[in-house]
Amino acid sequence: MSERIVISPTSRQEGHAELVMEVDDEGIITKGRYFSITPVRGLEKIVTGKAPETAPVIVQRICGVCPIPHTLASVEAIDDSLDIEVPKAGRLLRELTLAAHHVNSHAIHHFLIAPDFVPENLMADAINSVSEIRKNAQYVVDMVAGEGIHPSDVRIGGMADNITELARKRLYARLKQLKPKVNEHVELMIGLIEDKGLPEGLGVHNQPTLASHQLYGDRTKFDLDRFTEVMPESWYDDPEIAKRACSTIPLYDGRNVEVGPRARMVEFQGFKERGVVAQHVARALEMKTALSRAIEILDELDTSAPVRAEFDERGTGKLGIGAIEGPRGLDVHMAKVENGKIQFYSALVPTTWNIPTMGPATEGFHHEYGPHVIRAYDPCLSCATHVMVVDDEDKSVIKNEMVRI
């Protein structure tokens, strides 16, 4: 006889979600459904009708965990709508900001999963390591982008200012000094995860991966014509779940896809591993890649070069796309600027892509491993939720047309 096991909310992730597992007599998951129960974000509506420069400032508040990717995706979408070519130095500073954020965010995830993998005698060392790495990564964002949490110096057309030569040298020395600590931390975490003894094949699925760039993002690699979005009623086979789910289901070529560190490594580095352990390994290794790229940028940066382009903010009504590879995956913002105002704004954020993939990825293993599968994706629901309940009587979503672009 099948049984339903519900975890609500799922723990040690950002935002609130629910995992519903149908299990057989042996406790093996035969059907897994994962869905967001975090309330609507609604920020796209807030920025509509506003001046273009207000969008990055407001939409970075979508989430306190990923303000950097949302800021960058927003300015890139408006850059595209206004046909702005960002100067090389401005582009490098944006990339440096995101590289530091990757290191910081992945370290946060190691804090969240530490109880799953880190033994008590190593816990203090692991947490201290996370703290030191985060402190240095946030220092880079603070120095380059103006503020560590909500970057004030990432602007339409580039950056507000270049950094000084003294700042460049200090950041370069600081990150070179951090490199052995990151290498040691990554080696520790990968060793502990691989030694945990998780069942072989846990979390493996057959969905394709989607990534636009190894670390930063590339709008030319995201084809809007291949993207569709459906309402929960059309995806979940349980009407009660469909009614409560707060996120739409994004599809690429008609299929749900995996985004994030493993997807990036599959697409750009030939990474072949799949499943829970592979997710953690890819994320840890990406910390080293991001740190190395940050050091390269600081070595390459010309601090006397211009960082911001001149532009006409009146716009022509072109739909602009910003595609940024956030720590949890592809973050796409779309903006249309005309007559000096934002006429349309939409955000398709990382965890939204992974939501329909995470539930099925739990199937075939004991339900005790379900949370392990979910945490391997480092879900962040705070920015992923954007379905609006319209009917006050039965709380069902009745305006399917609201998801159309």
Side-chain angles (χ1 to χ4, degrees), residues 267-304:
E267 295 292 327
F268 295 99
Q269 298 186 51
F271 191 70
K272 302 294 186 186
E273 302 302 315
R274 301 190 296 162
V276 167
V277 173
Q279 294 281 350
H280 289 304
V281 169
R283 184 174 294 106
L285 291 176
E286 194 170 73
M287 293 176 73
K288 296 171 65 173
T289 304
L291 180 59
S292 295
R293 181 57 188 149
I295 293 171
E296 286 177 3
I297 291 171
L298 285 164
D299 193 33
E300 180 184 350
L301 181 68
D302 178 357
T303 54
S304 65

Side-chain angles (χ1 to χ4, degrees), residues 363-375:
E363 295 170 3
F365 290 87
H366 195 275
H367 65 81
E368 290 183 353
Y369 292 110
H372 276 284
V373 176
I374 300 303
R375 282 197 281 272

Side-chain angles (χ1 to χ4, degrees), residues 75-289:
V75 296
E76 294 249 346
I78 296 173
D79 287 345
D80 189 30
S81 181
L82 298 178
D83 281 330
I84 297 171
E85 185 69 29
V86 176
K88 179 183 177 182
R91 173 85 175 185
L92 287 174
L93 288 174
R94 286 183 178 181
E95 193 179 345
L96 174 58
T97 303
L98 184 60
H101 179 69
H102 274 294
V103 175
N104 174 41
S105 184
H106 291 344
I108 293 174
H109 185 249
H110 285 162
F111 173 78
L112 293 174
I113 64 168
D116 291 336
F117 299 104
V118 182
E120 192 60 37
N121 65 319
L122 294 176
M123 187 64 81
D125 290 342
I127 299 306
N128 288 337
S129 179
V130 165
S131 296
E132 183 176 346
I133 292 169
R134 289 198 61 216
K135 179 178 68 177
N136 284 282
Q138 282 296 79
Y139 182 78
V140 174
V141 177
D142 195 12
M143 291 286 287
V144 174
E147 294 179 40
I149 303 298
H150 293 119
S152 55
D153 290 349
V154 179
R155 304 288 177 84
I156 297 169
M159 301 289 286
D161 298 293
N162 206 333
I163 60 174
T164 66
E165 183 61 16
L166 179 60
R168 186 192 69 80
K169 290 179 177 177
R170 284 181 173 173
L171 289 174
Y172 182 83
R174 189 162 182 150
L175 293 189
K176 289 281 283 188
Q177 193 172 25
L178 181 64
K179 198 166 186 177
K181 168 57 69 176
V182 169
N183 290 342
E184 179 186 353
H185 175 79
V186 168
E187 185 178 343
L188 171 68
M189 293 305 298
I190 289 178
L192 292 173
I193 290 163
E194 290 180 336
D195 290 345
K196 177 68 176 179
L198 293 174
E200 187 173 350
L202 179 67
V204 170
H205 61 77
N206 294 317
Q207 300 309 126
T209 54
L210 175 65
S212 67
H213 188 271
Q214 183 174 347
L215 268 181
Y216 184 71
D218 182 351
R219 70 171 68 96
T220 67
K221 298 297 191 295
F222 176 73
D223 186 348
L224 191 58
D225 290 335
R226 298 167 67 183
F227 160 71
T228 53
E229 195 171 23
V230 299
M231 298 296 286
E233 296 100 316
S234 302
W235 185 259
Y236 294 103
D237 57 2
D238 184 318
E240 288 303 311
I241 289 177
K243 184 186 297 184
R244 297 180 58 228
C246 294
S247 291
T248 55
I249 306 297
L251 306 173
Y252 206 68
D253 293 332
R255 301 181 67 184
N256 55 302
V257 297
E258 178 192 327
V259 300
R262 193 190 79 87
R264 287 189 283 268
M265 290 188 68
V266 169
E267 295 292 327
F268 295 99
Q269 298 186 51
F271 191 70
K272 302 294 186 186
E273 302 302 315
R274 301 190 296 162
V276 167
V277 173
Q279 294 281 350
H280 289 304
V281 169
R283 184 174 294 106
L285 291 176
E286 194 170 73
M287 293 176 73
K288 296 171 65 173
T289 304

